């Protein structure tokens, strides 16, 4: 994997005999976690199974399986109850299989899970590496790299109109304070919650809101832009944790922005 040579070397130092029974792959959306899973599969010569749900029955079946696998779990979608169930497997390791938790935000996981798992943490990508993933129609590479810092996010640019995203983020920053709450909440329906690809992707829009609000604050010392930045930063972490209802979270985000900007 280009740009993650240290992480690959770290994995290569393990064999199937000493590879961590329970581990976490931690990195921002689009950093390459699924690509790294494929590499680990090849390195250990094992197949992986994605566990879409965690409950007592699933855990019991894992222990009963005679065949070795790499079990993959989306750690950002786990409830506290599911994390406590998962602890059984972490504290009583599987005899011939491995558990890997995919994660964007370590704070979303219980401290007991963090203490008992080996953490593979993705390195930040440098500009030279990231430029390889920018679609050819985007010529202003420097501006893009101020906002998007993972290969996956850059590759996804081929499927969207970046100018539409950027213009909408600038409009939100400049106009939200002036709108009524009812009008502000119409923003909620502009976003994609269930594979409606004609609407804005939340993750990219939050990245743009963070970048544009912070740049506006630096250029103009605008306090409203700093409010926008600080609240957006808090909600960026919340949006990366999949246990939340995204639409309800967006409603809370817009209301908190509007109330804080209005001073009410």
């Amino acid at each position: 994997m280009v740009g993650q040579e240290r992480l690959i070397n770290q994995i290569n130092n393990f064999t199937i005999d000493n590879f961590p029974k329970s581990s976490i792959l931690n990195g921002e959306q689009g950093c390459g976690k699924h690509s790294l899973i494929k590499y680990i599969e090849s390195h250990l010569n094992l197949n992986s199974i994605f566990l879409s749900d965690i409950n007592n029955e699933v855990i019991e079946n894992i222990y009963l399986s005679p065949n070795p696998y790499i079990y993959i779990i989306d750690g950002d979608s786990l409830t506290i109850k599911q994390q406590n169930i998962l602890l059984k497997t972490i504290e009583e390791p599987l005899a011939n299989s491995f558990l890997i938790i995919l994660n964007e935000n370590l704070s979303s996981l219980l401290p007991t899970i963090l203490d008992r798992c080996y953490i593979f943490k993705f390195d930040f990508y440098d500009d030279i590496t990231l430029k390889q993933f920018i679609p050819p129609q985007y010529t202003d590479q420097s501006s893009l790299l101020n906002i998007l810092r993972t290969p996956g996010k850059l590759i996804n640019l081929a499927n969207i109109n970046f100018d539409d995203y950027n213009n909408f983020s600038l409009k939100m920053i400049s106009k939200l304070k002036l709108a009524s709450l009812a009008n502000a909440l119409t923003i909620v329906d502009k976003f994609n919650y269930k594979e409606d690809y004609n609407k804005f992707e939340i993750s990219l829009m939050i990245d743009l809101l963070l970048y544009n609000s912070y740049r506006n604050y630096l250029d103009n010392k605008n306090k409203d832009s700093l409010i926008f930045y600080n609240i957006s930063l808090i909600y960026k972490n919340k949006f990366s944790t999949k246990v939340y209802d995204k639409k309800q979270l967006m409603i809370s985000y817009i209301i908190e922005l509007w109330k804080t900007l209005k001073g009410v």
Side-chain angles (χ1 to χ4, degrees):
M1 290 179 61
V2 178
Q4 297 298 329
E5 289 77 13
R6 180 200 61 81
L7 192 52
I8 292 297
N9 288 335
Q10 187 179 8
I11 289 168
N12 288 340
N13 287 331
F14 291 106
T15 67
I16 195 168
D17 295 321
N18 64 3
F19 193 85
K21 289 293 185 180
S22 299
S23 59
I24 297 169
L25 298 190
N26 171 255
E28 188 178 350
Q29 179 185 346
C31 66
K33 290 187 285 291
H34 289 89
S35 297
L36 189 62
I37 288 293
K38 294 296 183 185
Y39 184 85
I40 294 173
E41 284 182 348
S42 176
H43 182 64
L44 300 181
N45 196 26
L46 290 176
N47 293 322
S48 67
I49 295 177
F50 183 83
L51 301 178
S52 58
D53 191 18
I54 296 296
N55 55 52
N56 288 320
E57 183 179 357
V58 169
I59 297 300
E60 288 173 7
N61 289 336
I62 288 175
Y63 278 101
L64 293 174
S65 175
N67 299 316
Y69 291 105
I70 302 170
Y71 292 101
I72 310 299
I73 295 170
D74 182 358
D76 295 309
S77 66
L78 293 174
T79 64
I80 297 299
K81 180 179 179 181
Q82 289 174 318
Q83 291 188 50
N84 281 314
I85 291 172
L86 190 61
L87 273 172
K88 171 181 170 58
T89 310
I90 295 173
E91 293 174 341
E92 300 174 18
L94 301 166
N96 59 356
S97 292
F98 303 88
L99 179 72
I100 297 180
I101 301 170
L102 307 183
N103 170 263
E104 289 184 39
N105 183 6
L106 289 175
S107 65
S108 68
L109 297 173
L110 292 173
T112 44
I113 289 181
L114 298 177
D115 289 342
R116 290 163 174 78
C117 289
Y118 189 97
I119 300 176
F120 293 103
K121 192 170 181 62
F122 276 77
D123 292 321
F124 293 109
Y125 287 91
D126 60 40
D127 288 0
I128 294 175
T129 299
L130 288 172
K131 285 179 180 179
Q132 302 175 45
F133 300 97
I134 298 176
Q137 64 266 37
Y138 292 97
T139 56
D140 188 1
Q141 295 185 339
S142 297
S143 293
L144 284 177
L145 294 181
N146 282 324
I147 307 165
L148 306 176
R149 300 299 306 177
T150 64
K153 288 185 176 182
L154 291 167
I155 291 170
N156 191 48
L157 288 174
N159 304 316
I160 67 164
N161 187 319
F162 182 79
D163 288 339
D164 286 349
Y165 275 78
N166 193 45
N167 291 336
F168 189 81
S169 73
L170 291 170
K171 185 177 179 180
M172 276 186 67
I173 293 167
S174 63
K175 302 293 186 182
L176 187 63
K177 184 178 180 178
L178 304 176
S180 67
L181 180 57
N183 284 337
L185 286 173
T186 62
I187 292 171
V188 173
D189 291 328
K190 301 290 186 182
F191 289 91
N192 171 20
Y193 305 104
K194 293 184 178 179
E195 299 185 357
D196 185 350
Y197 299 114
N198 293 318
K199 297 185 177 181
F200 293 124
E201 291 295 331
I202 296 172
S203 176
L204 176 55
M205 187 61 73
I206 294 291
D207 284 338
L208 280 165
L209 288 168
L210 284 167
Y211 173 72
N212 285 326
S213 60
Y214 189 66
R215 187 177 65 177
N216 191 33
Y217 173 72
L218 291 179
D219 291 344
N220 304 309
K221 297 298 183 271
N222 185 300
K223 291 183 180 179
D224 287 347
S225 294
L226 187 59
I227 288 171
F228 224 106
Y229 177 84
N230 289 332
I231 293 176
S232 297
L233 188 60
I234 292 170
Y235 275 84
K236 176 182 172 69
N237 292 329
K238 291 183 177 182
F239 278 116
S240 71
T241 304
K242 299 172 186 175
V243 295
Y244 291 104
D245 180 301
K246 292 293 189 292
K247 189 167 187 178
Q248 288 301 315
L249 190 60
M250 181 61 71
I251 291 171
S252 298
Y253 171 55
I254 297 300
I255 290 175
E256 185 170 348
L257 276 172
W258 185 86
K259 284 185 173 181
T260 308
L261 290 167
K262 290 280 192 179
V264 298

